[in-house]
Amino acid sequence: MSKVAEVFETLEYGPAPESAQFANEWLEKHGRAFGHFIGGSWTDASTGVSFETANPATAQPIAKVSQGTVEHVAAAVAAARAAQPGWWELGPHVRARYLYAIARKIQKHGRLLAVLESMDNGKPIRESRDLDIPLVARHFYHHAGWAQLMEDELPDYEPLGVVGQIIPWNFPLLMLSWKIAPALATGNTLVLKPAEFTPLTALLFAELCQEVGLPDGVVNIVTGDGETGAALVDHPDVDKIAFTGSTDVGRIIREATAGSGKRISLELGGKSPFLVFEDADLDSVVEGVVDAIWFNQGQVCCAGSRILVQEGVAEALERKLRARMETLRMGNPLDKSVDMGAIVAPVQLERIESLVEQGRSEGAEVWQPSWSAPREGWFYPPTLCTNVAPSGTLAQIEVFGPVVVMMTFRTPSEAVALANDSRYGLAASIWSENINLALDIAPKIKAGTVWVNCTNLFDAASGFGGYRESGYGREGGEEGLLEYVRPTWEHAAQLQREPTANDGIAQPPAGGTPAIDRTAKLYIGGKQSRPDGNYSLPVYAADGSPMGEVGRGNRKDVRNAVEAARKAQAGWAARSAHNRAQILYYFAENLEARRAELTGRLATLSGDSEGASAEFDATIDRIFTYAAWADKWEGRVHHTPFRNVTLAMKEPIGVMGAVCPQAHPLLGFVSCIAPLIAVGNAVVAIPSEVGPLLATDLYQVLDTSDVPGGVVNIVTGLRSEVVPTLESHDDVDGIWHFGSAEDARSTESASTGNMKRTWVSYGRARDWFDRQQGQGQEFLREATQVKNIWVPYGE
Ligand code: NAI
């Protein structure tokens, strides 16, 4: 047979290698050794400790980079600090021009960046060239726009200051752009640490920043491993840490920064479900699986690593998948006709191998195509695992490699239960020709991104980030931008201290505590219940006379309250926003009817009758505010540049703990619960220790206002006895704690168990009467999380 005829027969691709010449020239120009980029110049690469970065496809070293020390990090933070005021003062337009110039540079050097990325990471050039680099440019263009608009769109916000950014190795330059673009757009300066396996494109990026004349110190790049990262996290002059990587390190960072006042955003791991309903177009599904789990060798935080397929089509899908896996091409990442490249490092390869072995020992059937992966370099073939139990290692642990499990379901509700049977919640894909079904399932899945009949699509306009242990904070979209700013009023308020209980509790009169017969109970699941321990606490008026007693809640009461909240939450969230608004208006109306009693109570407590009246008025006003917002805190439709609509939906976080401020026991309490319930959360509220009776007075008001039982639960008691249980409870999804700096530390630290969202005040006083500080969008944002649902259109 002739050669041409052979090709027709086999339809084999010939090699189509992309040249590494320019990348090698660039590396040679630097003597294949790099220092750190600090304050606009390079540290000496020949001094200090360095390490090698290797090409995963050949296992050969490419270049040496410096290991960042505590001193390097300190120098970089100092440079960023010095540069920050000037960078902010340049104003929106000039910053926009810089970001635009960076975007242009990236486009101009796109091929060089793509080749270097593929050499350092092992990903196919097709991916780095067609996906990573265009998205990097898109992020800088998009954020050049935000820089321009910031003054008009976020007039009451200012930059955080100096940001520390730590990124992983799976999308080195893309993750850099997701971090750097919003930080610069909002007037921050930064120190970024790339992953130790893939530092090279960040260093080339630093050079591009020099070329566009970015002011010295605005962007600093320090290379190194986890220790360098930890030094950045621990540096006291860093205002925020933005991290992408493993959930384990995310936890370490949460713990290390607890109570420091550093803002953090964490984009962590995932075990994303890929749901296939029986009416799905299976050929499209197969290509979807290729993109979901074999893209970037499965080293993708949102990889669709769990195929959940409806029973009737499971066999057919498996057959088609195996056939497709046989045709995947694995090899030299610089070959343009290669589908899969190499695994980033031997340690990652070993991790994949050992997890697959673990799965096999648990009974998984492991299938790989008949061709063998290249032996030179670090390769792992595409792998399909069946016969895996939902609780099995391969169904629960993030492999971060080209390994997918396939499990079956019968009904849509079983599919949702299986999909949510994970501690993660980063992304999901839903495949069905029935759009009604897909859009019914999408909101039920706990994930930050849901792709309908598509997968692994990203865009700067659409926020990306997780639910649950996949972390918090978003990258991209307006919500991503808001991670890098704070309200301007916070600055001025910094020196005022949030009152603590000791500031307010009147002392009992000399001669002991007189007997009182009225004891308010706890409020759990819509019922007044006696505290588990059967103890109570006295409450005193401003003049020291007794006002009454409240239940002294304990751990068991908190747990009961969380359980009641969990039972009520989904039903509450499923109500229409109009209905929640109506209930809040009704709440205000019923409260108004008790004006005399409550203002009297407030006046007795504070000894200030004028103040009591003002607090009552502000409380009614506040409830009206959130009744108004309930049906207006809406999502968006993003214009992502594909043939699709991306629906950004604001969803409640779930079960929320609210440790209310000590001051203004009525207004402070309502300022916490009203925004939370307005958007569909259920709450376990710990009222002010000073004036808990103002909260317990609300039981009947809540009942008569048709707030369903369990939506608001109130546990009175000593904070030291109830708050630790609440903030470490694994079924609480988020917690607000308006208290001291020490409170902030313990709340943030206790949150690491299930990585619950936290909102704390670090002891900074908030003026609860002030409309900007005491209410508004900041509260609603902290009460919700955004889910982006991508829905393609067209045939
Ligand atoms: P990692 O979380 O250790 O590394 C991510 C980044 O954090 C790197 O820049 C690293 O130097 C830095 N780092 C490590 N320890 C640190 C510390 N104590 N303080 C501050 N920074 C620190 O991830 P690794 O070890 O590279 O991969 C392990 C596993 O993590 C993977 O198998 C995968 O399951 C998961 N992973 C998830 C990613 C995601 O995007 N969700 C990305 C990378 C890894």
Side-chain angles (χ1 to χ4, degrees):
M1 239 197 287
S2 76
K3 197 99 189 6
V4 173
E6 248 173 57
V7 169
F8 272 114
E9 188 65 30
T10 60
L11 286 181
E12 270 286 333
Y13 287 92
E18 172 72 39
S19 166
Q21 182 195 339
F22 293 105
N24 279 322
E25 279 174 13
W26 179 77
L27 290 163
E28 290 300 338
K29 189 178 89 187
H30 289 275
R32 294 192 182 258
F34 294 85
H36 310 292
F37 182 65
I38 298 176
S41 47
W42 296 89
T43 61
D44 185 356
S46 62
T47 59
V49 179
S50 63
F51 59 93
E52 266 165 352
T53 177
N55 181 339
T58 60
Q60 297 304 312
I62 315 174
K64 273 191 173 162
V65 293
S66 302
Q67 166 69 12
T69 60
V70 171
E71 290 73 29
H72 290 128
V73 167
V77 172
R81 178 62 65 196
Q84 198 274 327
W87 176 241
W88 174 234
E89 278 153 24
L90 283 178
H93 180 62
V94 178
R95 278 199 307 281
R97 288 173 81 121
Y98 275 116
L99 281 150
Y100 181 78
I102 292 173
R104 299 281 296 158
K105 275 275 173 204
I106 284 164
Q107 275 186 319
K108 239 188 339 217
H109 297 281
R111 192 55 65 95
L112 175 61
L113 285 161
V115 172
L116 196 61
E117 196 77 306
S118 283
M119 285 167 69
D120 206 12
N121 167 278
K123 64 173 68 199
I125 184 75
R126 247 180 340 121
E127 289 175 11
S128 49
R129 182 196 61 192
D130 299 345
L131 201 130
D132 293 50
I133 306 304
L135 267 175
V136 171
R138 162 92 181 121
H139 264 265
F140 280 100
Y141 280 125
H142 182 79
H143 285 90
W146 274 125
Q148 177 76 21
L149 297 177
M150 184 179 165
E151 212 167 49
D152 299 327
E153 294 303 305
L154 300 172
D156 301 320
Y157 289 85
E158 61 185 15
L160 297 171
V162 173
V163 184
Q165 306 185 315
I166 300 167
I167 55 172
W169 41 259
N170 53 347
F171 293 92
L173 196 66
L174 185 59
M175 290 302 104
L176 172 149
S177 72
W178 286 18
K179 299 272 180 296
I180 291 188
L184 294 187
T186 44
N188 298 278
T189 55
L190 60 98
V191 179
L192 177 131
K193 190 201 83 66
E196 50 272 47
F197 300 134
T198 53
L200 296 179
T201 47
L203 297 169
L204 175 50
F205 176 83
E207 229 175 72
L208 300 183
C209 290
Q210 276 182 310
E211 282 179 25
V212 302
L214 196 71
D216 294 347
V218 169
V219 167
N220 304 276
I221 309 280
V222 177
T223 50
D225 60 11
E227 276 184 35
T228 313
L232 186 54
V233 169
D234 292 340
H235 196 290
D237 203 27
V238 168
D239 298 298
K240 173 192 163 90
I241 294 290
F243 172 78
T244 298
S246 61
T247 295
D248 290 346
V249 174
R251 269 207 176 86
I252 294 172
I253 291 176
R254 170 68 294 176
E255 186 64 55
T257 54
S260 65
K262 282 177 195 155
R263 287 264 293 267
I264 62 172
S265 48
L266 302 174
E267 204 265 271
L268 309 176
K271 192 78 197 176
S272 299
F274 186 103
L275 287 84
V276 184
F277 287 93
E278 59 195 3
D279 64 351
D281 169 8
L282 288 192
D283 292 322
S284 304
V285 168
V286 169
E287 291 315 306
V289 173
V290 172
D291 284 343
I293 189 68
W294 296 312
F295 164 59
N296 206 21
Q297 296 69 250
Q299 302 166 122
V300 182
C301 51
C302 50
S305 51
R306 291 187 291 145
I307 303 172
L308 308 176
V309 56
Q310 202 155 13
E311 255 176 15
V313 292
E315 235 180 82
L317 179 60
E318 192 177 339
R319 202 172 48 245
K320 280 174 184 278
L321 269 177
R322 287 185 182 199
R324 181 68 177 94
M325 287 164 79
E326 287 288 0
T327 66
L328 286 171
R329 304 189 78 232
M330 173 173 269
N332 176 8
L334 289 187
D335 185 335
K336 281 171 258 183
S337 55
V338 142
D339 299 308
M340 291 178 69
I343 300 296
V344 74
V347 56
Q348 188 61 21
L349 186 58
E350 281 157 26
R351 183 183 150 85
I352 298 168
E353 286 166 348
S354 88
L355 283 168
V356 171
E357 280 323 301
Q358 168 91 19
R360 208 194 293 269
S361 72
E362 291 169 16
E365 280 165 31
V366 177
W367 192 87
Q368 293 173 336
S370 59
W371 49 264
S372 50
R375 301 214 186 285
E376 190 196 26
W378 308 309
F379 289 88
Y380 194 85
T383 302
L384 173 66
C385 302
T386 49
N387 199 30
V388 176
S391 59
T393 301
L394 291 174
Q396 292 293 333
I397 306 288
E398 181 178 44
V399 177
F400 227 64
V403 179
V404 70
V405 298
M406 186 159 137
M407 300 187 284
T408 58
F409 66 85
R410 279 180 215 163
T411 61
S413 59
E414 206 179 299
V416 170
L418 268 176
N420 287 334
D421 180 18
S422 166
R423 62 196 180 107
Y424 295 114
L426 196 52
S429 304
I430 300 172
W431 295 77
S432 167
E433 291 299 291
N434 179 350
I435 196 74
N436 297 346
L437 175 70
L439 291 181
D440 182 44
I441 299 292
K444 293 180 180 155
I445 294 183
K446 306 231 178 296
T449 300
V450 178
W451 292 290
V452 174
N453 292 327
C454 56
T455 195
N456 276 341
L457 294 180
F458 311 94
D459 183 55
S462 171
F464 184 83
Y467 282 28
R468 299 173 160 182
E469 292 183 36
S470 291
Y472 34 75
R474 292 289 182 270
E475 298 192 299
E478 191 181 13
E479 57 273 27
L481 204 69
L482 286 160
E483 297 286 335
Y484 285 93
V485 294
R486 61 177 177 186
T488 33
W489 67 262
E490 274 190 13
H491 218 89
Q494 216 138 25
L495 299 175
Q496 287 161 28
R497 194 170 60 87
E498 180 76 20
T500 64
N502 294 338
D503 298 331
I505 291 183
Q507 294 307 306
T513 311
I516 309 150
D517 50 10
R518 185 178 183 282
T519 300
K521 295 183 178 137
L522 312 180
Y523 187 63
I524 295 175
K527 295 197 179 68
Q528 299 196 30
S529 59
R530 221 180 280 286
D532 171 67
N534 244 329
Y535 289 102
S536 53
L537 292 166
V539 182
Y540 299 101
D543 64 5
S545 59
M547 283 177 77
E549 294 198 354
V550 290
R552 181 171 178 167
N554 66 11
R555 277 192 241 173
K556 179 113 195 307
D557 298 310
V558 171
R559 287 196 206 114
N560 291 341
V562 172
E563 203 180 318
R566 175 59 65 199
K567 268 194 204 137
Q569 197 269 324
W572 179 240
R575 297 220 181 179
S576 71
H578 171 73
N579 179 247
R580 287 197 299 271
Q582 291 295 299
I583 288 175
L584 279 164
Y585 281 124
Y586 200 23
F587 179 44
E589 191 183 307
N590 288 324
L591 192 61
E592 181 67 46
R594 298 185 53 181
R595 170 183 284 271
E597 181 194 337
L598 279 147
T599 47
R601 177 85 85 189
L602 278 167
T604 314
L605 185 74
S606 62
D608 169 10
S609 53
E610 226 170 87
S613 217
E615 181 168 346
F616 190 85
D617 287 343
T619 302
I620 300 287
D621 185 293
R622 190 127 306 158
I623 302 171
F624 259 64
T625 295
Y626 291 111
W629 268 119
D631 63 353
K632 293 169 196 66
W633 187 242
E634 290 179 319
R636 282 191 176 179
V637 178
H638 290 305
H639 294 240
T640 40
F642 303 92
R643 284 173 62 77
N644 74 298
V645 286
T646 300
L647 312 171
M649 315 234 304
K650 288 175 177 159
E651 295 191 339
I653 293 172
V655 170
M656 295 292 295
V659 186
C660 304
Q662 298 283 16
H664 311 301
L666 182 62
L667 178 61
F669 181 82
V670 164
S671 299
C672 290
I673 63 156
L676 285 170
I677 67 172
V679 295
N681 296 285
V683 190
V684 175
I686 312 292
S688 160
E689 273 174 320
V690 184
L693 291 172
L694 274 309
T696 64
D697 282 343
L698 300 182
Y699 297 169
Q700 282 135 6
V701 187
L702 290 163
D703 286 343
T704 50
S705 309
D706 296 340
V707 176
V711 169
V712 176
N713 304 277
I714 302 173
V715 180
T716 53
L718 292 176
R719 291 193 169 195
S720 54
E721 291 175 1
V722 289
V723 172
T725 308
L726 184 62
E727 57 195 11
S728 59
H729 198 301
D730 277 351
D731 205 27
V732 171
D733 301 305
I735 189 150
W736 293 2
H737 192 157
F738 295 99
S740 67
E742 179 46 31
D743 291 335
R745 197 201 59 72
S746 59
T747 301
E748 290 184 334
S749 173
S751 72
T752 52
N754 65 342
M755 297 304 276
K756 59 175 71 65
R757 279 128 193 79
T758 56
W759 191 32
V760 295
S761 48
Y762 303 110
R764 196 166 38 227
R766 198 174 266 273
D767 178 355
W768 291 97
F769 284 90
D770 183 274
R771 295 176 80 84
Q772 203 188 358
Q773 297 183 28
Q775 67 177 30
Q777 298 199 26
E778 193 188 1
F779 286 75
L780 293 162
R781 271 202 306 275
E782 296 289 348
T784 46
Q785 50 197 342
V786 179
K787 172 185 281 176
N788 279 286
I789 304 176
W790 294 63
V791 189
Y793 51 74
E795 282 300 309

